[in-house]
């Protein structure tokens, strides 16, 4: 089972993952799921809201895979782990909210800047209230959490909180890593994902 599914953040940029994929061992088959209407992925008139988008993403997970998710993509990753536990064999959450309420954390509000930067995008990521907090303890797969210590959008305490809630998880903090750490620190992130994948295969 060497399938890796990569989920972008709210920008929908599939190219975000290219530097990391180049660093991962070629034994893994990688699949980036783009979001219709975001980034370079063509719009789909069948997708009208965040729930439709969630179902779209989950419907593309149809074989045993390990999911790697950036930022808002973590909401889909957590949903997949909860709804398709027989297929999701591992989780790597990078600088994400994981579907929790961030109001109690001192996070930078990214929504206004996001809306201005992506005027033609649907507003689902900005307006969604998807919350899986009460179900996080139901996630049983080994989970790797990767955060940056210089990320105002999803600061380290968010990762520490998820580390407490997801019982079979480990947290790694990238020094000087900001919200784009998976791209900017692809070498370091890849090393920790490789270590995680090797450990995961031993335990499967």
């Amino acid at each position: 089972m060497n399938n890796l599914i990569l989920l972008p953040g709210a920008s929908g940029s599939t190219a975000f993952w290219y530097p990391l994929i180049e660093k991962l061992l070629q034994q893994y088959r990688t699949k980036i799921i783009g979001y219709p209407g975001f980034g370079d992925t063509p719009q789909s008139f069948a997708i009208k809201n965040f729930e439709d988008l969630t179902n779209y993403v989950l419907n593309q997970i149809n074989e045993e895979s390990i999911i790697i998710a950036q930022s808002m993509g973590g909401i889909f990753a957590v949903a997949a782990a909860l709804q398709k536990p027989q297929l999701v064999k591992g989780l790597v959450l990078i600088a994400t909210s994981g579907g929790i309420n961030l109001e109690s954390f001192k996070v930078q509000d990214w929504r206004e800047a996001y809306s201005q930067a992506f005027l033609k995008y649907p507003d689902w990521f900005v307006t969604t209230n998807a919350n899986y907090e009460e179900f996080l303890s139901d996630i049983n797969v080994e989970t790797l959490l990767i955060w940056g210590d210089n990320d105002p959008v999803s600061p380290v305490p968010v990762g520490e909180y998820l580390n407490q809630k997801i019982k079979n998880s480990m947290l790694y903090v990238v020094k000087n890593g900001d919200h784009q750490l998976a791209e900017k620190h692809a070498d370091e992130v890849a090393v920790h994902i490789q270590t995680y994948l090797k450990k995961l295969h031993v335990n499967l």
Side-chain angles (χ1 to χ4, degrees):
M1 190 269 298
N2 294 317
N3 302 308
L4 303 180
I5 291 178
L6 297 103
L7 304 178
S11 72
S13 172
T14 54
F16 174 86
W17 291 118
Y18 294 167
L20 180 64
I21 288 174
E22 288 180 5
K23 306 296 181 183
L24 294 174
L25 294 177
Q26 297 304 306
Q27 69 196 62
Y28 296 102
R29 288 193 295 135
T30 57
K31 174 184 177 182
I32 305 173
I33 298 180
Y35 310 140
F38 296 81
D40 294 328
T41 306
Q43 185 177 358
S44 169
F45 293 106
I47 300 175
K48 300 179 176 64
N49 51 48
F50 193 82
E51 184 179 357
D52 289 343
L53 184 57
T54 301
N55 291 333
Y56 170 85
V57 172
L58 267 58
N59 285 339
Q60 293 198 57
I61 302 171
N62 46 36
E63 57 184 334
E64 291 188 351
S65 304
I66 296 160
I67 300 180
I68 302 174
Q70 157 73 11
S71 192
M72 293 289 282
I75 295 177
F76 304 130
V78 167
L82 292 169
Q83 297 181 36
K84 293 190 169 184
Q86 74 281 6
L87 295 181
V88 178
K89 298 301 181 181
L91 276 182
V92 179
L93 303 179
I94 304 174
T96 182
S97 70
I100 67 172
N101 188 334
L102 297 178
E103 287 185 5
S104 61
F105 299 93
K106 295 179 180 178
V107 302
Q108 176 180 302
D109 190 353
W110 55 275
R111 290 173 172 81
E112 184 176 347
Y114 174 85
S115 298
Q116 291 176 355
F118 303 106
L119 290 172
K120 296 182 180 180
Y121 281 20
D123 65 354
W124 306 325
F125 280 111
V126 175
T127 59
T128 184
N129 289 314
N131 193 320
Y132 296 109
E133 197 157 354
E134 64 181 296
F135 306 110
L136 292 175
S137 60
D138 295 334
I139 296 176
N140 290 316
V141 295
E142 284 200 47
T143 302
L144 173 61
L145 307 169
I146 302 179
W147 256 251
D149 66 3
N150 191 29
D151 183 355
V153 177
S154 185
V156 170
V158 177
E160 292 172 340
Y161 181 77
L162 288 172
N163 193 200
Q164 294 173 359
K165 288 291 185 179
I166 302 174
K167 52 198 169 194
N168 199 8
S169 64
M170 65 200 87
L171 172 66
Y172 180 78
V173 178
V174 175
K175 188 175 181 180
N176 299 320
D178 61 15
H179 200 57
Q180 309 301 317
L181 67 97
E183 182 179 36
K184 296 178 180 177
H185 298 265
D187 286 329
E188 184 175 351
V189 171
V191 167
H192 290 281
I193 291 178
Q194 299 280 32
T195 302
Y196 162 79
L197 292 174
K198 290 176 183 176
K199 178 185 176 185
L200 194 63
H201 282 294
V202 168
N203 293 338
L204 285 176

